[in-house]
Amino acid sequence: MTPPSEETPPEETEAWETLDEALQAQDTVLTKSILDGLEAEDQARAVSLLSQENREALLVTLPSKDFAQLLQELPEAQAVELLETLPSEQTAAAVECLPAETSSRLLRELEDQDSAQILHEIQDGESLSELKARLEYPEGCAGSLMRGSPVSFPQETTVQELLNDLYNHADDYSDRDIQYLYVVDEEKRLVGVLQLRQLFWAPRSKTIGELMIPDPLSVSDQMDFHDLAEIFTKRAFLGLPVVDDAGRLVGVVPRDTVQRETSDEQTEQYLQSQGIVDGEELRSMPLFDRCRKRLAWLAPNIVLNLAAASVIAANEATLQEVISLAVFLPIVSDMSGCSGNQAVAVSIRELTLGILKPKDFVRVLSKEGLVGIINGSLLGILLGAVAAIWKGNLVLGAVVASALALNTVLSVLLGGLVPLFLKSRKVDPALASGPILTTCTDMCGFFLVLSLASAVLDKLT
């Protein structure tokens, strides 16, 4: 008996396609229903795959709170792009619904004119004042990263009064991520911190000034992000209170915010090291903007590569005599470049963590020099043996081995030191270290192979 044929089920329609059809039909109810049914990751994918026209149509139909929620789920670059393209009166309503730390971060990424227009449209005076105050802080300092409105009480408050306040304002406090209660004096200066569990066993008539942990660790609202990250790395705090110059409590920096900033910085450094230098790039962005961003990196590299190629041109006669050298030129330069990139990565990471300073060049020189000598010698012997066996010429093997060993030492020294030099000159190490290292290792690798070969040319031919 012939088994029944099985029909291949039709390919499942993706969420963004369903959303696209709902937008084309101008069905706002269905559009919102589809979006609400998607996880955060799927929402970001759906919005990315929509056309520019439908993306704007989607956001125009969303209530301000839903628009704000979507902005929080999208990659920051995409959220900023949407704020730039939509009318300021619509984006202002969504910005008002965002947490202050999120809205201030997005506004910082906008052009000054776009940011000013959105601020002008914000109706809530309290939200506007808080946003302006945050934007006055330098980017990346504790004041720009903190969550405002920390829960604080005067030190004369009794345990009973505090518990009553928590109960009476439960709806307000439930929206905040409260880990600690802070104790302040009559001038709003931070004087202590109180753990919630202390309240449940304490006599109701006691004041919180008697129960608090006095003189808690706090950070200045001007403290740099890297110093903040170092504190959180060493200590297991869930959050740190932020005070102004007068010691007044102005906010709290949570651990997860510092972790997010660290991750964002590492991502940005990685993108810059790979040639994405003018801010984050997403494929939902306009085509010519993406081309411009990439050409800003690629065009200067033509000049650098021509400089490296000029070394080969200057030694063309040697290369024609020993054509087998052409096989080893890219190997020597590439292997040395890989070693140098490892040193670059370690230096940039240590600079980010704050455990390395630009003045530490002697320490880097000694540490990387030893690694370069050992690894360069081992790699040189290995590649030199391959060359000698392949061509049956020990001199060729010695030339290749020596060139790779010397170039590896040079590349790890450059890789370790160039980020320190750039940092001391206020240049982003992640942006410029790669091209400098690549050009130097290529030029030196080609020069070492060809000049050493020229010196013993009669024994290679």
Side-chain angles (χ1 to χ4, degrees):
M1 183 176 178
T2 306
S5 61
E6 295 183 1
E7 294 185 1
T8 304
E11 186 177 345
E12 184 179 352
T13 304
E14 286 204 58
W16 76 269
E17 295 174 308
T18 308
L19 186 62
D20 190 62
E21 292 171 359
L23 286 166
Q24 290 181 15
Q26 298 183 347
D27 189 335
T28 56
V29 176
L30 179 58
T31 296
K32 188 176 185 309
S33 174
I34 294 171
L35 201 62
D36 289 343
L38 297 177
E39 298 292 334
E41 183 178 335
D42 294 326
Q43 285 185 356
R45 171 174 166 76
V47 173
S48 297
L49 293 174
L50 291 174
S51 66
Q52 180 72 21
E53 181 182 357
N54 279 348
R55 194 180 306 140
E56 294 180 14
L58 166 65
L59 299 173
V60 167
T61 64
L62 289 178
S64 298
K65 286 187 177 181
D66 293 333
F67 184 10
Q69 181 63 37
L70 183 60
L71 286 175
Q72 293 187 82
E73 306 297 351
L74 293 174
E76 185 174 290
Q78 197 171 63
V80 169
E81 182 186 3
L82 294 175
L83 291 177
E84 288 175 335
T85 56
L86 293 172
S88 57
E89 57 270 16
Q90 182 189 356
T91 54
V95 166
E96 282 189 70
C97 298
L98 289 169
E101 61 270 18
T102 303
S103 55
S104 60
R105 190 173 73 249
L106 293 176
L107 289 174
R108 285 179 186 276
E109 297 300 319
L110 295 172
E111 297 289 340
D112 291 343
Q113 182 179 356
D114 294 330
S115 178
Q117 287 178 348
I118 292 175
L119 289 172
H120 180 72
E121 295 290 341
I122 292 178
Q123 303 297 319
D124 187 337
E126 186 177 342
S127 297
L128 181 59
S129 298
E130 184 176 0
L131 271 177
K132 286 183 174 180
R134 282 178 172 274
L135 292 172
E136 288 178 359
Y137 284 112
E139 185 175 4
C141 72
S144 68
L145 300 175
M146 68 183 181
R147 291 177 185 168
S149 304
V151 181
S152 61
F153 295 91
Q155 56 188 331
E156 299 83 12
T157 306
T158 65
V159 172
Q160 185 63 60
E161 289 171 339
L162 191 152
L163 291 173
N164 289 341
D165 185 86
L166 292 178
Y167 178 78
N168 293 330
H169 299 91
D171 290 341
D172 178 33
Y173 293 138
S174 64
D175 293 334
R176 309 193 205 179
D177 182 18
I178 300 175
Q179 303 293 342
Y180 306 102
L181 301 177
Y182 297 99
V183 185
V184 295
D185 62 14
E186 60 275 4
E187 301 296 330
K188 303 297 183 183
R189 293 188 294 260
L190 178 68
V191 295
V193 64
L194 193 65
Q195 295 177 324
L196 286 171
R197 65 173 179 267
Q198 291 178 271
L199 299 174
F200 297 110
W201 316 116
R204 297 300 187 258
S205 59
K206 271 199 170 187
T207 65
I208 60 175
E210 298 175 84
L211 300 173
M212 70 182 185
I213 302 171
D215 301 320
L217 176 65
S218 62
V219 297
S220 165
D221 56 357
Q222 300 294 330
M223 179 177 280
D224 181 75
F225 159 70
H226 296 101
D227 295 330
L228 268 176
E230 187 174 356
I231 294 175
F232 278 102
T233 299
K234 294 177 179 177
R235 309 285 290 274
F237 293 120
L238 295 175
L240 283 173
V242 181
V243 297
D244 62 13
D245 292 339
R248 292 185 293 265
L249 180 65
V250 293
V252 177
V253 176
R255 172 178 286 274
D256 59 0
T257 298
V258 175
Q259 290 175 333
R260 185 200 68 229
E261 287 295 316
T262 301
S263 176
D264 289 348
E265 184 177 74
Q266 291 171 347
T267 300
E268 182 179 358
Q269 289 175 346
Y270 170 74
L271 291 173
Q272 289 180 344
S273 70
Q274 300 303 307
I276 307 300
V277 299
D278 190 19
E280 187 176 0
E281 178 187 328
L282 298 172
R283 291 189 174 91
S284 60
M285 294 177 174
L287 173 63
F288 289 107
D289 284 350
R290 294 176 58 220
C291 290
R292 176 184 55 78
K293 284 172 178 282
R294 296 194 186 188
L295 285 172
W297 168 269
L298 294 173
N301 271 272
I302 293 178
V303 178
L304 297 177
N305 279 285
L306 286 172
S310 66
V311 176
I312 298 178
N315 292 271
E316 187 177 357
T318 300
L319 194 57
Q320 287 178 341
E321 288 291 328
V322 189
I323 196 64
S324 59
L325 291 173
V327 175
F328 296 100
L329 286 175
I331 298 176
V332 169
S333 63
D334 184 65
M335 288 302 301
S336 300
C338 290
S339 298
N341 283 326
Q342 290 175 329
V344 167
V346 174
S347 286
I348 290 178
R349 179 58 176 159
E350 289 188 341
L351 286 169
T352 300
L353 292 174
I355 60 178
L356 184 67
K357 302 295 182 184
K359 63 183 180 181
D360 297 331
F361 63 93
V362 174
R363 176 174 177 271
V364 173
L365 195 68
S366 61
K367 295 287 187 180
E368 289 298 338
L370 291 173
V371 172
I373 291 170
I374 295 172
N375 285 359
S377 300
L378 293 175
L379 292 172
I381 291 171
L382 179 60
L383 186 62
V386 171
I389 294 171
W390 178 43
K391 287 297 182 180
N393 190 323
L394 290 175
V395 176
L396 176 63
V399 167
V400 171
S402 301
L404 180 54
L406 292 171
N407 206 36
T408 298
V409 173
L410 176 66
S411 66
V412 295
L413 290 177
L414 282 174
L417 294 174
V418 166
L420 274 67
F421 173 77
L422 295 174
K423 186 74 172 179
S424 68
R425 295 294 181 271
K426 309 299 182 184
V427 178
D428 189 347
L431 177 60
S433 296
I436 293 174
L437 177 68
T438 300
T439 303
C440 290
T441 54
D442 284 355
M443 291 180 65
C444 293
F446 297 159
F447 173 78
L448 285 168
V449 172
L450 294 172
S451 60
L452 289 173
S454 298
V456 290
L457 187 60
D458 58 328
K459 297 180 181 180
L460 295 176
T461 55

Coordinates of all heavy atoms in Angstrom, one line a residue, residues 254-323:
P254 N 22.9 52.5 40.7 CA 22.8 51.0 40.9 C 23.9 50.3 40.3 O 24.5 50.7 39.3 CB 21.4 50.7 40.3 CG 20.8 52.0 39.9 CD 22.0 53.0 39.8
R255 N 24.2 49.1 40.8 CA 25.2 48.2 40.2 C 24.9 47.9 38.7 O 25.8 47.9 37.9 CB 25.3 46.9 41.0 CG 26.2 45.9 40.4 CD 26.3 44.6 41.2 NE 27.2 44.9 42.4 CZ 28.5 44.8 42.4 NH1 29.1 44.4 41.3 NH2 29.2 45.1 43.4
D256 N 23.6 47.6 38.4 CA 23.3 47.2 37.1 C 23.5 48.3 36.1 O 23.8 48.0 34.9 CB 21.8 46.6 37.0 CG 20.8 47.7 37.4 OD1 21.1 48.8 37.8 OD2 19.6 47.3 37.4
T257 N 23.3 49.5 36.5 CA 23.6 50.6 35.6 C 25.1 50.7 35.2 O 25.5 50.9 34.1 CB 23.2 52.0 36.2 OG1 21.8 52.0 36.4 CG2 23.5 53.1 35.3
V258 N 26.0 50.5 36.2 CA 27.4 50.5 36.0 C 27.8 49.3 35.1 O 28.7 49.4 34.2 CB 28.2 50.5 37.3 CG1 29.7 50.3 37.1 CG2 27.9 51.7 38.1
Q259 N 27.2 48.2 35.4 CA 27.5 47.0 34.5 C 27.1 47.2 33.1 O 27.8 46.8 32.1 CB 26.8 45.8 35.1 CG 27.4 45.3 36.4 CD 26.6 44.1 37.0 OE1 25.3 44.0 36.8 NE2 27.2 43.3 37.8
R260 N 25.9 47.9 32.9 CA 25.5 48.2 31.5 C 26.4 49.1 30.8 O 26.7 48.9 29.7 CB 24.0 48.8 31.6 CG 23.4 49.0 30.2 CD 22.3 50.0 30.2 NE 22.8 51.3 30.5 CZ 22.3 52.1 31.4 NH1 21.3 51.8 32.1 NH2 22.8 53.3 31.6
E261 N 26.8 50.1 31.5 CA 27.8 51.1 30.9 C 29.1 50.4 30.6 O 29.7 50.7 29.5 CB 28.0 52.3 31.9 CG 26.9 53.2 32.1 CD 26.6 54.0 30.8 OE1 27.5 54.4 30.1 OE2 25.4 54.1 30.4
T262 N 29.6 49.5 31.5 CA 30.8 48.8 31.2 C 30.6 48.0 29.9 O 31.5 47.9 29.0 CB 31.2 47.9 32.4 OG1 31.3 48.7 33.5 CG2 32.5 47.1 32.1
S263 N 29.5 47.3 29.8 CA 29.2 46.5 28.6 C 29.1 47.3 27.4 O 29.7 46.9 26.3 CB 27.9 45.7 28.8 OG 27.6 44.9 27.7
D264 N 28.5 48.5 27.5 CA 28.3 49.4 26.3 C 29.7 49.9 25.9 O 30.0 50.0 24.7 CB 27.4 50.5 26.7 CG 26.0 50.1 26.8 OD1 25.6 49.0 26.4 OD2 25.2 50.9 27.3
E265 N 30.5 50.2 26.8 CA 31.9 50.7 26.5 C 32.7 49.6 25.8 O 33.4 49.9 24.8 CB 32.6 51.2 27.7 CG 33.9 51.8 27.4 CD 34.6 52.4 28.7 OE1 35.1 51.6 29.5 OE2 34.6 53.6 28.8
Q266 N 32.6 48.4 26.3 CA 33.4 47.3 25.7 C 32.9 47.0 24.3 O 33.7 46.8 23.4 CB 33.3 46.1 26.6 CG 34.0 46.2 27.9 CD 33.8 45.1 28.8 OE1 32.8 44.3 28.6 NE2 34.5 44.9 29.9
T267 N 31.5 47.1 24.1 CA 31.0 46.9 22.8 C 31.4 48.0 21.8 O 31.8 47.7 20.7 CB 29.4 46.9 22.8 OG1 29.0 45.9 23.7 CG2 28.8 46.7 21.5
E268 N 31.4 49.2 22.3 CA 31.9 50.3 21.4 C 33.3 50.2 21.0 O 33.7 50.5 19.9 CB 31.6 51.7 22.2 CG 32.0 52.9 21.3 CD 31.8 54.2 22.1 OE1 31.3 54.2 23.2 OE2 32.1 55.3 21.5
Q269 N 34.2 49.8 22.0 CA 35.6 49.6 21.7 C 35.8 48.5 20.7 O 36.6 48.6 19.8 CB 36.3 49.3 23.0 CG 36.5 50.5 23.9 CD 37.1 50.1 25.2 OE1 37.3 48.9 25.6 NE2 37.6 51.1 26.0
Y270 N 35.0 47.4 20.8 CA 35.1 46.3 19.8 C 34.7 46.8 18.4 O 35.4 46.5 17.5 CB 34.2 45.2 20.3 CG 34.1 44.1 19.2 CD1 35.1 43.2 18.9 CD2 32.9 44.0 18.4 CE1 35.0 42.3 17.9 CE2 32.8 43.1 17.4 CZ 33.9 42.2 17.2 OH 33.8 41.3 16.2
L271 N 33.6 47.6 18.3 CA 33.2 48.1 17.1 C 34.2 49.0 16.4 O 34.5 48.9 15.2 CB 31.8 48.8 17.2 CG 30.6 47.9 17.5 CD1 29.4 48.8 17.8 CD2 30.3 47.0 16.4
Q272 N 34.8 49.9 17.3 CA 35.8 50.8 16.7 C 37.0 50.0 16.3 O 37.6 50.4 15.2 CB 36.2 51.8 17.8 CG 35.1 52.8 18.1 CD 35.5 53.8 19.2 OE1 36.4 53.6 19.9 NE2 34.7 54.9 19.3
S273 N 37.4 49.0 17.0 CA 38.6 48.2 16.6 C 38.3 47.5 15.3 O 39.3 47.1 14.6 CB 38.9 47.2 17.7 OG 38.0 46.2 17.8
Q274 N 37.0 47.2 14.9 CA 36.7 46.6 13.7 C 36.4 47.5 12.6 O 35.9 47.1 11.5 CB 35.6 45.6 13.9 CG 35.9 44.5 15.0 CD 37.1 43.7 14.6 OE1 37.2 43.2 13.5 NE2 38.0 43.6 15.5
G275 N 36.5 48.8 12.8 CA 36.3 49.8 11.8 C 34.9 50.5 11.8 O 34.7 51.3 10.9
I276 N 34.1 50.3 12.8 CA 32.8 51.0 12.9 C 33.1 52.1 13.9 O 33.0 52.0 15.1 CB 31.7 50.1 13.4 CG1 31.6 48.8 12.6 CG2 30.4 50.8 13.4 CD1 31.3 49.1 11.1
V277 N 33.5 53.3 13.4 CA 34.1 54.3 14.2 C 33.1 55.5 14.5 O 33.4 56.2 15.5 CB 35.4 54.9 13.6 CG1 36.4 53.8 13.4 CG2 35.1 55.5 12.2
D278 N 32.1 55.6 13.7 CA 31.3 56.8 13.9 C 29.9 56.4 14.5 O 28.9 56.7 14.0 CB 31.0 57.4 12.5 CG 30.3 58.8 12.6 OD1 30.4 59.4 13.7 OD2 29.7 59.3 11.6
G279 N 30.0 55.8 15.7 CA 28.8 55.4 16.4 C 28.3 54.1 15.9 O 28.8 53.5 14.9
E280 N 27.4 53.5 16.7 CA 26.9 52.2 16.3 C 26.2 52.2 15.0 O 25.5 53.1 14.6 CB 25.9 51.7 17.4 CG 25.4 50.3 17.3 CD 24.6 49.8 18.4 OE1 24.3 50.6 19.3 OE2 24.1 48.6 18.4
E281 N 26.3 51.1 14.3 CA 25.7 50.9 13.0 C 24.7 49.7 13.0 O 25.0 48.7 13.5 CB 26.7 50.7 11.9 CG 26.1 50.5 10.5 CD 27.1 50.1 9.4 OE1 28.2 50.5 9.5 OE2 26.7 49.3 8.5
L282 N 23.5 50.0 12.5 CA 22.5 48.9 12.3 C 22.0 48.9 10.9 O 22.0 50.0 10.2 CB 21.3 49.1 13.3 CG 21.6 49.1 14.8 CD1 20.4 49.6 15.6 CD2 22.1 47.8 15.2
R283 N 21.6 47.8 10.4 CA 21.2 47.7 9.0 C 19.9 48.3 8.7 O 19.5 48.4 7.5 CB 21.3 46.2 8.5 CG 22.7 45.7 8.5 CD 22.7 44.3 7.9 NE 24.1 43.9 7.7 CZ 24.8 43.2 8.6 NH1 24.2 42.8 9.8 NH2 26.1 42.9 8.4
S284 N 19.2 48.7 9.7 CA 17.9 49.5 9.5 C 18.2 50.9 9.2 O 17.3 51.7 8.8 CB 17.1 49.4 10.8 OG 17.7 49.9 11.9
M285 N 19.5 51.4 9.4 CA 19.8 52.8 9.1 C 19.9 53.0 7.6 O 20.0 52.1 6.8 CB 21.2 53.1 9.7 CG 21.1 53.1 11.2 SD 22.8 53.4 12.0 CE 22.4 53.4 13.7
P286 N 19.7 54.3 7.2 CA 19.8 54.6 5.7 C 21.1 54.2 5.1 O 22.2 54.2 5.7 CB 19.7 56.2 5.7 CG 19.0 56.5 7.0 CD 19.4 55.5 8.0
L287 N 21.0 53.7 3.9 CA 22.1 53.1 3.1 C 23.3 54.0 3.1 O 24.4 53.7 3.4 CB 21.6 52.7 1.7 CG 22.7 52.2 0.8 CD1 23.4 50.9 1.3 CD2 22.1 52.0 -0.6
F288 N 23.1 55.3 2.6 CA 24.2 56.2 2.4 C 24.9 56.6 3.7 O 26.1 56.9 3.8 CB 23.8 57.4 1.6 CG 23.4 57.1 0.2 CD1 22.1 57.1 -0.3 CD2 24.4 56.8 -0.7 CE1 21.8 56.7 -1.6 CE2 24.2 56.5 -2.0 CZ 22.8 56.4 -2.5
D289 N 24.1 56.6 4.8 CA 24.7 56.9 6.1 C 25.7 55.8 6.5 O 26.7 56.0 7.0 CB 23.6 57.1 7.2 CG 22.9 58.4 7.1 OD1 23.4 59.3 6.3 OD2 21.9 58.6 7.8
R290 N 25.3 54.6 6.2 CA 26.1 53.4 6.6 C 27.4 53.4 5.7 O 28.5 53.1 6.2 CB 25.3 52.1 6.4 CG 24.1 52.0 7.3 CD 23.3 50.7 7.0 NE 24.2 49.5 7.1 CZ 24.1 48.5 6.3 NH1 23.2 48.5 5.3 NH2 24.9 47.5 6.4
C291 N 27.2 53.7 4.4 CA 28.4 53.8 3.5 C 29.4 54.9 4.0 O 30.6 54.7 4.1 CB 28.0 54.1 2.1 SG 27.1 52.7 1.3
R292 N 28.8 56.0 4.4 CA 29.7 57.1 4.9 C 30.4 56.7 6.1 O 31.6 57.0 6.3 CB 28.8 58.4 5.1 CG 29.5 59.6 5.7 CD 28.6 60.7 6.0 NE 27.5 60.3 6.9 CZ 27.6 60.1 8.2 NH1 28.8 60.3 8.8 NH2 26.6 59.7 8.9
K293 N 29.7 56.1 7.1 CA 30.3 55.7 8.3 C 31.5 54.7 8.0 O 32.6 54.9 8.6 CB 29.3 54.9 9.2 CG 28.3 55.8 9.9 CD 27.3 55.0 10.6 CE 26.2 55.8 11.3 NZ 26.8 56.3 12.6
R294 N 31.4 53.8 7.1 CA 32.4 52.8 6.9 C 33.6 53.4 6.1 O 34.8 53.1 6.3 CB 31.8 51.6 6.1 CG 30.8 50.8 6.9 CD 30.5 49.5 6.3 NE 29.4 48.8 7.0 CZ 29.1 47.6 6.8 NH1 29.7 46.8 5.9 NH2 28.1 47.0 7.5
L295 N 33.2 54.3 5.1 CA 34.3 54.9 4.3 C 35.2 55.8 5.2 O 36.4 56.0 4.8 CB 33.7 55.8 3.2 CG 33.1 54.9 2.0 CD1 32.4 55.8 1.0 CD2 34.3 54.2 1.3
A296 N 34.7 56.4 6.2 CA 35.5 57.2 7.1 C 36.6 56.4 7.7 O 37.7 57.0 8.0 CB 34.6 57.8 8.3
W297 N 36.5 55.1 7.8 CA 37.6 54.3 8.3 C 38.4 53.7 7.1 O 39.6 53.6 7.2 CB 36.9 53.2 9.1 CG 37.9 52.0 9.5 CD1 38.1 50.9 8.8 CD2 38.7 51.9 10.6 NE1 39.0 50.1 9.4 CE2 39.4 50.7 10.6 CE3 38.9 52.8 11.7 CZ2 40.3 50.3 11.6 CZ3 39.8 52.3 12.7 CH2 40.5 51.1 12.6
L298 N 37.7 53.3 6.1 CA 38.3 52.5 5.0 C 39.3 53.4 4.2 O 40.3 53.0 3.7 CB 37.3 51.9 4.1 CG 36.4 50.8 4.7 CD1 35.3 50.3 3.8 CD2 37.3 49.6 5.1
A299 N 38.8 54.6 3.9 CA 39.6 55.5 3.0 C 41.0 55.8 3.5 O 42.0 55.6 2.8 CB 38.8 56.8 2.7
P300 N 41.2 56.2 4.8 CA 42.6 56.4 5.3 C 43.4 55.1 5.3 O 44.6 55.2 5.2 CB 42.3 56.9 6.7 CG 41.0 57.4 6.8 CD 40.2 56.6 5.8
N301 N 42.8 54.0 5.4 CA 43.5 52.7 5.4 C 44.2 52.4 4.0 O 45.1 51.7 3.9 CB 42.6 51.6 5.8 CG 42.6 51.3 7.3 OD1 43.4 50.6 7.8 ND2 41.7 52.0 7.9
I302 N 43.6 53.0 2.9 CA 44.3 52.9 1.6 C 45.7 53.5 1.7 O 46.7 52.9 1.2 CB 43.5 53.6 0.5 CG1 42.1 52.9 0.3 CG2 44.3 53.7 -0.8 CD1 41.2 53.6 -0.7
V303 N 45.8 54.6 2.3 CA 47.1 55.3 2.4 C 48.1 54.4 3.2 O 49.3 54.2 2.9 CB 47.0 56.7 3.1 CG1 48.4 57.3 3.2 CG2 46.1 57.6 2.2
L304 N 47.6 53.9 4.3 CA 48.4 53.0 5.2 C 48.9 51.8 4.5 O 50.0 51.4 4.6 CB 47.7 52.7 6.5 CG 47.3 53.9 7.4 CD1 46.5 53.4 8.6 CD2 48.5 54.6 7.9
N305 N 48.0 51.2 3.7 CA 48.4 50.0 3.0 C 49.3 50.2 1.9 O 50.2 49.4 1.5 CB 47.1 49.3 2.4 CG 46.4 48.5 3.5 OD1 46.8 47.4 3.9 ND2 45.3 49.0 4.0
L306 N 49.2 51.4 1.2 CA 50.2 51.8 0.2 C 51.6 51.9 0.8 O 52.6 51.6 0.2 CB 49.8 53.1 -0.5 CG 48.6 53.0 -1.5 CD1 48.1 54.4 -1.9 CD2 49.0 52.1 -2.7
A307 N 51.6 52.5 2.0 CA 52.9 52.6 2.7 C 53.6 51.2 2.9 O 54.8 51.1 2.7 CB 52.7 53.3 4.0
A308 N 52.8 50.3 3.3 CA 53.3 48.9 3.6 C 53.7 48.3 2.2 O 54.8 47.6 2.1 CB 52.3 48.0 4.2
A309 N 52.9 48.5 1.2 CA 53.2 47.9 -0.1 C 54.5 48.5 -0.7 O 55.2 47.9 -1.5 CB 52.1 48.1 -1.1
S310 N 54.8 49.8 -0.3 CA 56.0 50.4 -0.9 C 57.3 49.7 -0.5 O 58.3 49.7 -1.2 CB 56.1 51.9 -0.4 OG 56.3 51.9 1.0
V311 N 57.3 49.0 0.7 CA 58.4 48.2 1.1 C 58.7 47.1 0.1 O 59.9 46.8 -0.2 CB 58.2 47.7 2.5 CG1 59.4 46.8 3.0 CG2 58.1 48.8 3.5
I312 N 57.6 46.4 -0.3 CA 57.8 45.3 -1.3 C 58.3 45.9 -2.6 O 59.2 45.3 -3.2 CB 56.4 44.6 -1.5 CG1 56.0 44.0 -0.2 CG2 56.5 43.5 -2.6 CD1 54.6 43.3 -0.3
A313 N 57.8 47.0 -3.0 CA 58.2 47.6 -4.3 C 59.7 48.0 -4.2 O 60.4 47.8 -5.2 CB 57.4 48.9 -4.6
A314 N 60.2 48.4 -3.1 CA 61.6 48.8 -3.0 C 62.5 47.5 -3.0 O 63.7 47.7 -3.3 CB 61.8 49.5 -1.7
N315 N 62.0 46.4 -2.7 CA 62.8 45.1 -2.7 C 62.3 44.2 -3.8 O 62.4 42.9 -3.6 CB 62.7 44.5 -1.3 CG 63.4 45.3 -0.3 OD1 64.6 45.1 0.0 ND2 62.6 46.1 0.4
E316 N 61.8 44.7 -4.9 CA 61.2 43.9 -5.9 C 62.3 42.9 -6.5 O 61.9 41.8 -6.8 CB 60.7 44.8 -7.0 CG 59.9 44.0 -8.1 CD 59.3 45.0 -9.1 OE1 59.4 46.2 -9.0 OE2 58.7 44.5 -10.1
A317 N 63.5 43.4 -6.6 CA 64.6 42.5 -7.3 C 64.8 41.3 -6.4 O 64.9 40.2 -7.0 CB 65.8 43.3 -7.4
T318 N 64.8 41.4 -5.1 CA 65.1 40.3 -4.2 C 63.9 39.3 -4.3 O 64.1 38.1 -4.4 CB 65.2 40.7 -2.8 OG1 66.3 41.6 -2.7 CG2 65.4 39.5 -1.8
L319 N 62.7 39.8 -4.4 CA 61.5 39.0 -4.5 C 61.5 38.2 -5.8 O 61.1 37.0 -5.8 CB 60.2 39.8 -4.3 CG 58.9 39.1 -4.1 CD1 59.0 38.3 -2.8 CD2 57.8 40.1 -3.9
Q320 N 62.0 38.8 -6.9 CA 62.0 38.1 -8.2 C 63.0 37.0 -8.1 O 62.8 36.0 -8.8 CB 62.3 39.1 -9.3 CG 61.1 40.1 -9.6 CD 61.5 41.1 -10.7 OE1 62.7 41.3 -11.0 NE2 60.5 41.7 -11.3
E321 N 64.1 37.2 -7.4 CA 65.2 36.2 -7.4 C 64.7 35.0 -6.5 O 65.0 33.8 -6.9 CB 66.4 36.8 -6.7 CG 67.2 37.7 -7.6 CD 67.8 37.0 -8.8 OE1 68.2 35.9 -8.7 OE2 67.9 37.6 -9.9
V322 N 64.0 35.2 -5.4 CA 63.5 34.2 -4.5 C 62.0 34.3 -4.4 O 61.5 34.9 -3.5 CB 64.2 34.2 -3.1 CG1 63.9 33.0 -2.3 CG2 65.7 34.5 -3.3
I323 N 61.3 33.7 -5.4 CA 59.9 33.9 -5.5 C 59.2 33.2 -4.3 O 58.0 33.6 -3.9 CB 59.3 33.4 -6.8 CG1 57.9 33.9 -7.1 CG2 59.4 31.9 -6.9 CD1 57.9 35.4 -7.2

